[in-house]
Structure formats: structure tokens, C-alpha cells
Amino acid sequence: MNEKTYQSILETLASVPVTAMPCVKLLGDRFGVGAETVHSIYSQEVQYRVKKTHTALCEASVGLMKEYVLGDKSIIDLCLQWHMPPSIMVRRMLESCPSLGCKNGKVVGSVLKNADVLRTCVTPGFLDALIETDLNAHGIAYHQTEDQFLDRLVADIETCAIMDSICGPAADAARHGAGEDYETRLYDHLQEHKICFWTENDLRDQHFHKTPDALLKVPIAVCGKVVCWIDSKATFCDAKTHRKLLQEQYDSYVNRFGPGLVIYWHGYLESVQLMDFVTVMDHFPCGKDEIIRLPMLDTDSI
């Protein structure tokens, strides 16, 4: 994808509220790209925003909880105020108040999946502790019972989980499922072309720590470049993402296994820095000019 198209998509997505999901099909048709590509770009931009504002939101989380507890705003109102995904707002607010019993991120994750779990985390007297200790709101008159406050908070968390199309539990599950689907697609292509390989699980069984999705038993040549391994990414890739993945994953694959291929199934920005030892494509190479196979040898072990 060229930079101009990419920037136009970003400008269009910038106006989408955090509680809404852009019409990715219409935008895809408008810009001549796939709907999944638009969704991937939107998801990346939201996650960049979350990382950029992480420190500021953590510092403000106690004040936001005080505003929520002592006022009449919903958590969604606070999300719109901060332009922050609802699930992230819930996480920061719960983590900032020990009286609510959410001891770590795993507990908060369980609450986001099922808000009623919060009822099992709190203990009698939690509301007084929340107001007096966590929020430092001494002497403030509060007229709701603990059950009434808990009902309100649980309902708001349920709403946040439903309305979060990028960082919520359903979105996490969909992202994980998409990753597995495209990994399976990669394996199907390799088997169709009779290219023998070890899967990621095969490599982990042999105690490899960092592993690509497929390590080829015999290298192939793709567009004139040697490929020893292939990694599948169910995402769109911009330059920032590619640099990060080079440092965290691809460099170690190259050092251990040799040059490889990364498939960004939803496309990549043309400004992505191409490396001699990591070939980048947005599809599985299948044409005669794209892939050259070498003779099969004895490859019973790695």
C-alpha cells in the first residue's frame, strides 16, 4: 500500500468514536483495499494510542474512579472523554483501587469476560475503603449502598466489554482465532505445494524457544531469495510494526535458521524496510516465477 492511501485511511478513521466500529467494507471499497485490511489498520492505530497514553491514563486513573464513584458519569462517558477503548479504561480504573479486589491483570481479565466475577472479589466494607482509602475522599457523603454501587459498576463493565471492538474480550478471541486460521492457511499452502516443513509445535517439542510458524525441511527460493522458514501474520504491517517484529522475532529466526519469508496477509506499507534476509509478501508464493523448490533429501531430524 502506498503512503498516500494509508494516510487517507488514517485520516478517515481518526473521527471514529472509541465505542464504535468503522464500516470497514465501505472504507475498503472506497480505498480499493480489503475490509480486513481496514480493520487491521484501525486496530493498530487504537493500540498505538493506548500505548502512547498509558502513563498519563495510569496517573489519572484514581481521579477518574473518583469522578465515576462520586458523580453520575458512566465509564463510557469517561472513555469518550479520553478517547480510550472501554476495556482499557476499565482495566486502569479497577487496577487503581485495591479495595475492589482485582489483584492483578488476570483477575481484571476475568472480570471483563464476566463482570459478575467482581462480586466475588470484593468484601463487606469495600465501598468505605474505596472512598476513604483508595480515592482519599474523606468526609464525602455517599448515598448508595454497596449492592447498588456494585450493580452499577457491573452493568457498566458489561457495557464496556460489549462496546469495545478492538481491546475487549470478544476482539481478543477473534484476533487469536484469525491468527490460527491464517496459520492453518499457510500449512495448507505448503502441503498443497508438497513442501515439507516442521510446524511451530514440532519445533517447541524439540525445545526451540523462539520459533517461526513453519521451518522448511528443505529451503526454497522465493522471487530469487532463499527461504528457510515462513511466518504468518494475520495483520496489516506498517514500518513501525515491521521494525518491532524484526527486533523481537525475525532477527532471532535468521540467526538460528537462515533467511526467511514473512506473509502479512492484510498487506503492508510500501515504506516497510526490506531486508536481505527477510522477504515480505502479502500472499503465499504460488506462481512459477515466485517459487523454486530444491530436491528433497533425508530430513528426518532438525
Side-chain angles (χ1 to χ4, degrees), residues 47-61:
Q47 290 171 35
Y48 288 155
R49 188 194 313 141
V50 169
K51 292 177 182 178
K52 186 177 180 180
T53 59
H54 172 76
T55 301
L57 183 60
C58 287
E59 292 174 349
S61 56

Side-chain angles (χ1 to χ4, degrees), residues 10-251:
L10 291 183
E11 289 172 6
T12 304
L13 294 174
S15 61
V16 178
V18 292
T19 55
M21 182 67 191
C23 186
V24 293
K25 186 179 185 308
L26 287 177
L27 289 175
D29 292 343
R30 174 181 171 184
F31 292 106
V33 299
E36 290 179 327
T37 297
V38 176
H39 183 274
S40 182
I41 292 173
Y42 179 62
S43 177
Q44 283 181 350
E45 283 305 298
V46 171
Q47 290 171 35
Y48 288 155
R49 188 194 313 141
V50 169
K51 292 177 182 178
K52 186 177 180 180
T53 59
H54 172 76
T55 301
L57 183 60
C58 287
E59 292 174 349
S61 56
V62 172
L64 289 168
M65 180 58 93
K66 182 183 291 188
E67 188 176 355
Y68 174 74
V69 173
L70 303 179
D72 57 1
K73 287 186 177 180
S74 68
I75 299 179
I76 291 296
D77 291 331
L78 299 175
C79 292
L80 294 171
Q81 180 179 315
W82 272 73
H83 202 44
M84 186 61 52
S87 295
I88 301 300
M89 182 63 76
V90 168
R91 282 186 178 277
R92 300 297 170 260
M93 290 172 66
L94 293 182
E95 290 168 353
S96 71
C97 297
S99 300
L100 292 175
C102 296
K103 300 177 181 179
N104 52 51
K106 186 175 181 180
V107 176
V108 176
S110 298
V111 171
L112 280 167
K113 291 177 182 176
N114 179 5
D116 280 323
V117 169
L118 186 62
R119 301 182 190 276
T120 68
C121 296
V122 298
T123 56
F126 80 89
L127 187 54
D128 288 339
L130 174 66
I131 295 173
E132 295 289 329
T133 305
D134 294 344
L135 305 183
N136 197 29
H138 304 289
I140 299 295
Y142 190 75
H143 303 292
Q144 278 192 321
T145 66
E146 288 189 345
D147 286 342
Q148 288 173 330
F149 171 75
L150 202 54
D151 287 344
R152 175 192 172 204
L153 182 55
V154 165
D156 267 13
I157 292 172
E158 288 175 340
T159 301
C160 287
I162 292 170
M163 297 186 70
D164 194 335
S165 61
I166 299 300
C167 299
D172 288 341
R175 197 157 32 241
H176 179 73
E180 291 186 338
D181 288 346
Y182 278 95
E183 190 175 307
T184 299
R185 181 180 299 190
L186 168 62
Y187 294 154
D188 289 344
H189 280 300
L190 289 169
Q191 290 169 350
E192 179 184 346
H193 287 79
K194 295 181 172 55
I195 298 173
C196 297
F197 62 96
W198 290 283
T199 68
E200 188 174 20
N201 289 333
D202 293 334
L203 297 174
R204 286 176 179 168
D205 288 342
Q206 303 214 19
H207 308 295
F208 285 93
H209 177 54
K210 288 189 175 182
T211 59
D213 291 322
L215 176 62
L216 307 187
K217 294 186 176 183
V218 175
I220 60 175
V222 175
C223 298
K225 294 184 178 181
V226 174
V227 168
C228 300
W229 52 268
I230 304 177
D231 212 41
S232 167
K233 298 296 183 187
T235 185
F236 176 86
C237 181
D238 59 12
K240 185 190 302 184
T241 299
H242 189 61
R243 282 196 303 271
K244 183 173 182 288
L245 289 171
L246 276 171
Q247 294 173 355
E248 295 179 353
Q249 297 180 14
Y250 308 152
D251 282 347

